[in-house]
Each structure stands twice: as structure tokens, then as C-alpha cells.
């Protein structure tokens, strides 16, 4: 397979980059001053694109690669891939579902606990030597709080399961009610937000879910409510979120993702009621390695004419 060209468009863990380099003819998009003008001999060799949660294949890239057969994303979210265009051109698409479900759900609970129990702030308090001047202020209990989840897919369900362990009543919003679900369904995000303490965004980013968290939802969640986003930054109208936090219209937010990451609104840095993470939902050695193996397995299956491991398109 050494002659098969693979274009890497997203930053991935070194293990995956090295394996791609060993097994294929690897091109890295950042090696070109203008990716739209890849040298023609490279363009002719490229039969696969490997992306990530932050970079995929849009219509322009797909059109620019006439030999493209497969786009494999080192992520479960595929909002950076023009799936319609791939379908139209018969290009296969794969992602990395299942292997990261536990990790993202674990981190969600971590974010909730960090936010409500102010774990990061407590750590800063101890490190800065303030403890000797008195005790730290009281925080907020998590057990028993109502958790509202947007999107009851694999990750949403794994979060619900974990939150149940904290005796939290669970409710959810999704496009349609899940007949087999024991959790309370709300037909709108505003109703869900009005009836929960902690609102968790766990759905895929699509045109429909872009800015699903808007001013109305934030106001419905209110000054005692908490927003947790482990989905995509673009689920949230970020300027609205920032003003709600600054004005005290929202209790707090735990954010693993941002609208224009790695850029983070500076107003958030001075707030105590936010926990900010650098998009690390799946970032453990175990899970990222499993994701990398899925990317490699999908590419090899495709080029050997075998069924894809995790086909999307
Ligand atoms: C994904 O795989 O889409 C996640 O966002 C990675 O953390």
C-alpha cells in the first residue's frame, strides 16, 4: 500500500501519523503553503484523506482530489466532512464511534463535578497559599440534580447512565422521542432547559443543531443552571453564553469545546463559574490509540476491498 497517497489534513497523535507514514505515501496538508494548490503529481496519488475533529474534507477539497476514494476521520464527529458531496461522488466516509463513548462520558461527569464543586478553583486556592488565611467557600452538590441531555445517542446514553449513579433524574431532548427510553422526554430544548439543573450538549453538530444553545435556552436554564458542552463549540451561540455568564444570568458553564477553537473568548478567563478544557473528551492514550487503529483498519479494509469497520457513507 506504500504507493497509495493519503492526505493528512488534521493534527493527530504521533502514533497514527507514524503508522500512516509507514503504511502509505503520506502527504501532510500543512507542508503546502496553499493546500488548494497541491502539486499535481501528489493530487493524482491521493486516494484517501485523514481528518480529525478540527479538519476534514469540504466540497472544495473533495473536488480538488479526483482520485479520492475514502475520507477517514480520527473523531466520531464528522461535521468537517461534506458527507453529501462524498455520497454524490461515491466516496466512502468513516469515523471512530464506540471506542470513545466511555471517555467522553467520563469527562462530562468530571466537568460537572469540577464546575459544581469548583475543583479547579480549589486547586488554585491551595497552590496560591490562600488556604492559610481561611477556609474555602462552600460549593454546590451534584448528587440528585436533574440532568437534561441534548442528544440521547451513544454518548448521551453513557452520560445518563453515569449520572444515574449520582441519583440524578434524567431528561432529554432529541429530534424524536425514543420509545424504549426510561428518561423523561421534552419536545424542545427550551422546555428541557426550563426543567433541569444541568444541561449537557451531547448531540452531533448539524445545520439543525448549530446554535441550539441560544439566548432563549440560556435564559430558560437561568442563574441556578449549568451548561456543559462536550459536543462542538458551534452548538452554542458563544457571545450569548459569554454575556449570560458575565451578567450572572447563567449559573456556570463547563466547556470542552469552543466556537472558534483554539480561540477562547477572553472574558471567560476572569470568571470563577466556568471550567475550560482544550477539547480533550477522547484524549486518553487508550482511547486515542483505539481511534487510530480504527482509522488504519478502515483504510486498510477499503484498499484491500474488504468491508469497512465503521462505515458512515
Ligand atoms: C470527536 O471524536 O468528535 C471528539 O470531539 C474528540 O474529542
Amino acid at each position: 500500500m506504500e504507493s497509495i497517497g493519503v492526505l493528512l489534513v488534521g493534527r493527530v497523535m504521533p502514533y497514527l501519523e507514524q503508522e500512516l507514514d509507514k503504511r502509505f505515501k503520506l502527504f501532510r496538508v500543512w507542508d503546502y503553503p496553499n493546500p488548494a494548490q497541491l502539486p499535481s503529481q501528489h493530487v493524482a496519488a491521493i486516494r484517501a484523506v485523514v481528518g480529525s475533529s478540527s479538519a476534514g474534507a469540504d466540497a472544495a477539497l473533495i473536488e480538488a482530489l479526483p482520485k479520492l476514494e475514502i475520507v477517514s476521520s480520527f473523531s466520531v464527529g464528522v461535521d468537517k466532512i461534506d458527507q453529501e458531496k462524498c455520497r454524490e461522488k461515491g466516496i466512502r466516509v468513516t469515523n471512530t464511534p464506540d471506542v470513545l463513548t466511555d471517555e467522553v462520558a467520563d469527562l462530562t461527569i468530571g466537568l460537572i463535578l469540577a464546575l459544581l464543586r469548583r475543583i479547579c478553583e480549589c486547586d488554585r486556592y491551595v497552590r496560591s497559599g490562600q488556604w492559610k488565611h481561611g477556609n474555602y467557600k462552600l460549593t454546590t452538590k451534584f448528587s440528585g440534580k436533574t440532568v437534561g441531555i441534548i442528544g440521547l445517542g451513544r454518548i448521551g446514553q453513557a452520560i445518563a447512565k453515569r449520572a444515574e449513579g449520582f441519583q440524578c433524574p434524567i431528561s432529554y431532548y432529541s429530534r424524536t422521542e425514543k420509545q424504549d427510553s426510561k428518561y423523561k422526554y421534552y419536545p424542545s430544548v427550551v422546555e428541557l432547559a426550563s426543567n433541569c439543573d444541568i444541561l449537557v450538549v451531547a448531540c452531533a453538530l448539524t445545520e439543525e443543531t448549530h446554535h441550539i444553545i441560544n439566548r432563549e435556552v440560556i435564559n430558560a436554564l437561568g442563574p441556578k443552571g449549568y451548561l456543559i458542552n462536550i459536543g462542538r463549540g458551534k452548538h452554542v451561540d458563544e457571545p450569548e453564553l459569554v454575556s449570560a455568564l458575565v451578567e450572572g444570568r447563567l449559573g456556570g458553564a463547563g466547556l470542552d469545546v469552543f466556537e472558534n477553537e483554539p480561540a477562547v473568548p477572553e472574558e471567560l478567563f476572569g470568571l470563577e463559574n466556568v471550567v475550560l478544557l482544550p477539547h480533550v473528551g477522547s484524549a486518553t492514550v487508550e482511547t486515542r490509540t483505539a481511534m487510530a487503529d480504527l482509522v488504519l483498519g478502515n483504510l486498510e479494509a477499503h484498499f484491500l476491498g474488504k468491508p469497512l469497520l465503521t462505515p458512515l457513507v
Side-chain angles (χ1 to χ4, degrees):
M1 297 204 182
E2 291 89 352
S3 63
I4 295 173
V6 172
L7 178 65
L8 185 57
V9 294
R11 297 283 179 183
V12 296
M13 67 191 294
Y15 162 68
L16 177 55
E17 191 169 337
Q18 283 153 16
E19 286 301 313
L20 287 170
D21 208 13
K22 252 192 247 165
R23 302 180 198 193
F24 301 95
K25 187 167 173 50
L26 186 64
F27 302 97
R28 297 161 180 89
V29 85
W30 48 89
D31 288 342
Y32 301 91
N34 179 357
Q37 287 168 355
L38 280 157
S40 55
Q41 72 275 24
H42 295 176
V43 167
I46 292 167
R47 293 167 63 191
V49 164
V50 172
S52 67
S53 58
S54 59
D58 59 10
L61 183 68
I62 294 167
E63 290 293 356
L65 299 172
K67 297 280 193 289
L68 185 62
E69 294 170 31
I70 181 167
V71 180
S72 190
S73 193
F74 180 62
S75 65
V76 69
V78 286
D79 46 286
K80 299 281 184 194
I81 300 173
D82 189 331
Q83 291 185 67
E84 221 20 76
K85 181 61 83 189
C86 289
R87 228 170 255 123
E88 193 186 299
K89 295 186 121 351
I91 294 166
R92 308 300 309 273
V93 177
T94 68
N95 65 342
T96 60
D98 299 318
V99 292
L100 49 64
T101 300
D102 284 339
E103 235 59 303
V104 177
D106 289 353
L107 190 89
T108 305
I109 299 300
L111 256 181
I112 295 173
L113 284 169
L115 184 62
L116 272 63
R117 301 303 309 272
R118 295 182 178 256
I119 292 173
C120 307
E121 209 184 315
C122 283
D123 177 87
R124 292 193 289 268
Y125 180 82
V126 173
R127 284 172 199 252
S128 62
Q130 291 177 73
W131 192 9
K132 54 181 169 295
H133 305 301
N135 286 330
Y136 188 74
K137 62 190 168 211
L138 298 180
T139 62
T140 303
K141 180 175 175 169
F142 172 39
S143 292
K145 291 279 185 297
T146 300
V147 175
I149 303 174
I150 302 176
L152 207 59
R154 286 176 285 248
I155 293 176
Q157 288 182 44
I159 294 166
K161 212 161 124 190
R162 284 157 175 76
E164 277 187 279
F166 289 83
Q167 296 84 46
C168 296
I170 311 293
S171 47
Y172 73 101
Y173 162 82
S174 65
R175 257 183 313 172
T176 50
E177 183 169 6
K178 308 229 175 272
Q179 293 312 325
D180 54 349
S181 174
K182 57 183 169 173
Y183 307 127
K184 184 164 174 49
Y185 175 70
Y186 286 99
S188 80
V189 179
V190 172
E191 282 173 83
L192 178 70
S194 306
N195 288 286
C196 71
D197 302 302
I198 302 163
L199 183 64
V200 180
V201 184
C203 56
L205 179 65
T206 61
E207 270 174 34
E208 248 174 80
T209 62
H210 180 262
H211 283 191
I212 199 167
I213 304 297
N214 53 27
R215 189 179 178 88
E216 203 188 348
V217 171
I218 291 168
N219 286 344
L221 197 52
K224 287 193 163 26
Y226 297 91
L227 177 73
I228 304 291
N229 190 6
I230 49 84
R232 287 288 181 265
K234 290 188 191 306
H235 281 126
V236 177
D237 183 335
E238 207 165 68
E240 280 296 343
L241 173 66
V242 170
S243 30
L245 287 164
V246 169
E247 292 161 18
R249 283 186 287 112
L250 183 68
L255 308 169
D256 185 37
V257 287
F258 299 88
E259 244 195 307
N260 301 301
E261 59 191 49
V264 175
E266 280 188 18
E267 296 95 315
L268 297 179
F269 297 156
L271 298 180
E272 289 180 344
N273 55 344
V274 294
V275 175
L276 312 172
L277 301 182
H279 199 153
V280 287
S282 64
T284 62
V285 174
E286 296 89 335
T287 288
R288 287 281 168 92
T289 305
M291 290 165 66
D293 285 336
L294 262 185
V295 170
L296 295 164
N298 274 309
L299 291 178
E300 290 194 339
H302 173 78
F303 289 114
L304 291 171
K306 293 186 181 164
L308 298 178
L309 308 179
T310 52
L312 260 185
V313 172

